């Protein structure tokens, strides 16, 4: 745990792994985050797993230590009682010392005057009285004997206890229990503060997938809301890429995996493609045979607004490589809502537009030089668009475009297209995972992001 103290150094490079849980009947809701810290040269410093609060108070060593401390306290109280009793008895014995001296002088006098019968009888009577006065000393001496045995036992127990405590101290460090627990809580707080800074990063790796479910046709979309609170894990499923307007809702991924629907929504317009997104309680989708984006509220069951994307191709004019009316791709990341499409004005190359989630007005537009028809799928992470070169086996993330710098680069990030045909691939910022529809299989991919964290100490 001491290695955690490096977590908030002025400049730290971290790799963030979004963990996808295995989907079984016992599936646990939510996502857990693991991190590794590195120095500037890329050497690994530590691996961090945040402990649960008060974990130390429940582990075996903590219980053992508390039991030992209680035993020490009980022994200390017993020793105090013995000490008080010993002091009392000692004072009593001191008073009896004078009587012992008197007895000794009487014995000597009897020995000297044994020829005189009268004197001997008087002295015997006096000696008898002295002996009766010493009679109470016998139980005191017996108690001394018992107390001496107890003290010997305490000494042995304390010796053994000292060895155990020394072993525990060597194992957990030179801190007492309370101090160690406080250090754990403090480091946990610092770690969570550090993790809160991990909002954006550069895609480094895609791993998986985890198959959540097999259902529906070869083409479709499934998603969760990246803006939902932690206790809201609803899942929505939209099967097929046209001629459908029924959205199925599930309360959790576990319910989705088991097929336990909670409700359905009958949209006013059919959708085109599979590139829909749920963002802050609303569904955004492309209205069939148009370049119109529709915002539908799940809370009210109504269309809130709809707006055309100017000059955007539709109805298989500029689809992805697999077709399926995938001309307009709606997606969300850490920075907001986005639309990916192509126009004649940009020679059929991909156009990126950031949308206002409430009004669907275009906030900004970036023209790329990557042909929409040559793209297998695409997704946004932290304002950067990542494009795959195919929807088939062997596909990889081949191109990326940063809206922050208005620049592009060619990449080589493979991913496992397990079921051979990918018709939907979207990033979820809350889960830090890619949701995919892989030839009738609903899958999740892990993503690895590269982060540079600056702390308050940085100038």
């Amino acid at each position: 745990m001491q290695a955690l103290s490096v977590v908030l150094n002025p400049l730290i490079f971290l790799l963030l792994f979004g963990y996808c849980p295995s989907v079984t009947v016992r599936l646990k809701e939510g996502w857990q985050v693991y991190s590794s810290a590195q120095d500037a040269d890329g050497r690994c410093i530590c691996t961090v797993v945040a402990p649960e609060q008060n974990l130390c108070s429940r582990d075996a060593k903590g219980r053992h230590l508390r039991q030992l401390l209680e035993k020490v306290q009980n022994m200390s109280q017993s020793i105090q009682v013995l000490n008080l009793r010993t002091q009392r008895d000692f004072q009593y014995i001191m008073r009896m010392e004078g009587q012992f001296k008197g007895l000794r002088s009487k014995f000597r006098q009897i020995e000297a005057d044994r020829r005189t019968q009268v004197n001997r009888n008087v002295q015997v009577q006096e000696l008898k009285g002295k002996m009766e006065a010493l009679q109470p000393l016998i139980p005191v001496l017996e108690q001394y004997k018992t107390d001496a045995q107890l003290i010997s036992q305490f000494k042995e127990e304390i010796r053994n206890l000292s060895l155990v405590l020394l072993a525990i101290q060597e194992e957990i460090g030179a801190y007492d229990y309370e101090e160690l627990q406080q250090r754990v809580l403090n480091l946990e707080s610092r770690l969570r503060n550090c993790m809160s800074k991990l909002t954006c990063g550069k895609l480094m790796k895609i791993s998986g997938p985890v198959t959540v479910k097999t259902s529906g046709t070869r083409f479709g979309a499934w998603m969760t809301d990246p803006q939902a609170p932690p206790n809201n894990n609803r899942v929505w499923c939209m099967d097929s890429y046209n001629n459908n307007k029924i959205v199925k809702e599930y309360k959790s991924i576990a319910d989705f995996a088991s097929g336990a629907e909670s409700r359905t929504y009958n949209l006013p317009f059919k959708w085109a493609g599979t590139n829909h997104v749920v963002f802050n309680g609303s569904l955004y989708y492309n209205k069939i045979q148009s370049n119109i984006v529709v915002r539908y509220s799940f809370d009210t069951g109504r269309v809130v607004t709809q707006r055309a994307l100017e000059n955007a191709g539709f109805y298989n004019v500029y689809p992805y490589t697999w077709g399926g009316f995938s001309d307009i791709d709606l997606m969300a990341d850490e920075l907001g809502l986005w639309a990916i499409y192509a126009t004649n004005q940009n020679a059929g190359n991909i156009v990126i537009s950031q949308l206002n989630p409430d009004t669907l007005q275009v906030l900004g537009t970036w023209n790329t030089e990557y042909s929409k028809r040559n793209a297998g799928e695409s997704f946004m992470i932290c304002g950067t668009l990542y494009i795959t070169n195919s929807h088939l086996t062997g596909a990889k993330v081949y191109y990326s475009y940063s809206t922050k710098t208005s620049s592009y680069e060619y990449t080589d990030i493979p991913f496992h297209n397990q079921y051979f045909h990918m018709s939907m691939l979207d990033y979820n910022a809350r889960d830090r995972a890619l949701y995919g529809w892989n030839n009738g299989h609903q899958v999740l991919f892990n993503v690895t992001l590269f982060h540079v964290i600056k702390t308050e100490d940085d100038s």
Side-chain angles (χ1 to χ4, degrees):
M1 289 186 180
Q2 294 179 1
L4 286 175
S5 61
V6 303
V7 171
L8 294 182
N9 279 346
L11 188 62
I12 298 176
F13 296 87
L14 293 180
L15 289 177
L16 176 69
F17 300 86
Y19 168 70
C20 296
S22 60
V23 180
T24 63
V25 177
R26 294 177 296 176
L27 177 72
K28 293 183 179 180
E29 294 301 324
W31 303 88
Q32 191 172 0
V33 176
Y34 299 81
S35 298
S36 296
Q38 296 178 327
D39 62 14
D41 296 324
R43 292 188 296 267
C44 181
I45 295 175
C46 68
T47 297
V48 174
V49 179
E52 294 182 28
Q53 190 166 353
N54 298 326
L55 179 62
C56 289
S57 65
R58 299 194 301 268
D59 63 20
K61 293 186 179 65
R63 289 196 299 270
H64 191 193
L65 185 57
R66 286 197 303 276
Q67 291 171 358
L68 291 174
L69 291 175
E70 291 175 359
K71 192 172 183 180
V72 169
Q73 292 175 353
N74 292 336
M75 291 172 65
S76 298
Q77 293 175 357
S78 298
I79 290 174
Q80 288 178 358
V81 171
L82 281 174
N83 185 49
L84 292 174
R85 193 161 64 200
T86 302
Q87 290 181 359
R88 180 199 62 194
D89 293 344
F90 182 73
Q91 292 174 358
Y92 184 76
I93 291 173
M94 290 294 292
R95 290 196 300 269
M96 301 303 294
E97 184 179 8
Q99 298 183 34
F100 273 113
K101 292 179 179 179
L103 278 175
R104 185 168 54 186
S105 63
K106 286 295 181 181
F107 277 116
R108 289 174 180 173
Q109 185 176 357
I110 291 173
E111 181 68 21
D113 299 337
R114 58 188 175 195
R115 296 176 182 176
T116 307
Q117 181 67 33
V118 177
N119 290 339
R120 187 164 57 250
N121 290 337
V122 173
Q123 290 171 353
V124 167
Q125 291 299 324
E126 291 181 1
L127 184 59
K128 183 179 178 180
K130 294 288 184 180
M131 292 296 294
E132 290 177 353
L134 289 175
Q135 192 71 25
L137 185 60
I138 295 176
V140 172
L141 293 175
E142 291 294 334
Q143 185 65 52
Y144 256 140
K145 183 178 179 181
T146 303
D147 289 349
Q149 292 175 349
L150 286 175
I151 291 174
S152 178
Q153 293 176 6
F154 281 144
K155 285 182 178 180
E156 182 65 20
E157 289 192 39
I158 289 175
R159 188 183 68 83
N160 295 335
L161 190 58
S162 297
L163 294 176
V164 174
L165 290 174
L166 182 60
I168 293 178
Q169 186 180 39
E170 291 176 352
E171 183 174 355
I172 66 177
Y175 307 102
D176 61 31
Y177 176 78
E178 295 297 333
E179 182 181 357
L180 182 62
Q181 184 181 34
Q182 188 58 43
R183 285 172 60 86
V184 170
L185 295 177
N186 181 51
L187 290 174
E188 179 185 6
S189 175
R190 293 172 64 187
L191 174 63
R192 294 188 183 281
N193 181 59
C194 178
M195 294 299 292
S196 68
K197 300 176 185 293
L198 300 180
T199 55
C200 272
K202 181 179 179 180
L203 179 66
M204 302 297 292
K205 181 181 178 182
I206 300 174
S207 57
V210 172
T211 301
V212 176
K213 187 180 182 181
T214 300
S215 66
T217 65
R218 293 182 62 197
F219 318 98
W222 73 292
M223 66 215 78
T224 59
D225 187 350
Q227 295 291 304
N231 60 348
N232 184 341
N233 297 295
R234 289 185 296 173
V235 177
W236 294 271
C237 180
M238 301 169 69
D239 192 14
S240 187
Y241 62 84
N242 72 336
N243 199 32
N244 195 356
K245 58 179 184 176
I246 301 299
V247 180
K248 297 179 181 180
E249 181 181 283
Y250 305 83
K251 290 183 178 180
S252 65
I253 291 183
D255 284 353
F256 174 65
S258 65
E261 294 178 25
S262 59
R263 64 175 299 181
T264 59
Y265 301 88
N266 191 353
L267 303 178
F269 314 112
K270 294 179 181 180
W271 62 73
T274 59
N275 307 117
H276 331 295
V277 67
V278 174
F279 187 78
N280 199 23
S282 292
L283 169 68
Y284 298 82
Y285 70 97
N286 177 209
K287 185 179 179 180
I288 193 169
Q289 297 185 7
S290 74
N291 61 1
I292 294 175
V293 176
V294 177
R295 178 192 173 197
Y296 177 87
S297 171
F298 286 126
D299 291 335
T300 64
R302 295 174 176 271
V303 171
V304 179
T305 186
Q306 52 184 316
R307 185 182 294 272
L309 279 173
E310 187 176 358
N311 300 321
F314 62 94
Y315 208 59
N316 272 349
V317 173
Y318 296 119
Y320 288 127
T321 54
W322 66 275
F325 307 130
S326 55
D327 304 70
I328 297 175
D329 190 349
L330 299 168
M331 56 188 68
D333 70 352
E334 292 84 353
L335 305 185
L337 182 67
W338 304 85
I340 308 302
Y341 55 98
T343 64
N344 291 332
Q345 291 78 358
N346 198 37
N349 293 326
I350 288 178
V351 176
I352 306 171
S353 290
Q354 187 170 18
L355 307 180
N356 182 308
D358 297 325
T359 65
L360 298 179
Q361 288 181 320
V362 175
L363 302 177
T365 297
W366 295 261
N367 293 324
T368 76
E369 298 179 359
Y370 198 96
S371 171
K372 180 73 161 52
R373 285 182 170 273
N374 290 333
E377 277 292 339
S378 68
F379 52 90
M380 295 286 291
I381 298 179
C382 300
T384 295
L385 180 69
Y386 296 91
I387 301 172
T388 69
N389 62 350
S390 174
H391 64 283
L392 300 174
T393 302
K396 61 183 177 180
V397 177
Y398 181 73
Y399 178 96
S400 67
Y401 187 94
S402 170
T403 59
K404 182 179 180 180
T405 61
S406 298
S407 62
Y408 71 91
E409 66 175 325
Y410 289 98
T411 60
D412 187 8
I413 306 175
F415 66 96
H416 184 39
N417 191 343
Q418 184 169 347
Y419 303 106
F420 317 117
H421 189 288
M422 190 72 65
S423 62
M424 171 250 178
L425 191 63
D426 275 330
Y427 173 72
N428 186 293
R430 184 181 75 163
D431 300 338
R432 289 192 173 100
L434 293 175
Y435 284 58
W437 193 288
N438 197 186
N439 203 11
H441 303 268
Q442 293 73 51
V443 298
L444 288 169
F445 292 89
N446 298 337
V447 296
T448 300
L449 304 181
F450 180 79
H451 299 265
V452 177
I453 301 179
K454 291 186 177 181
T455 67
E456 296 154 355
D457 296 335
D458 294 336
S459 54

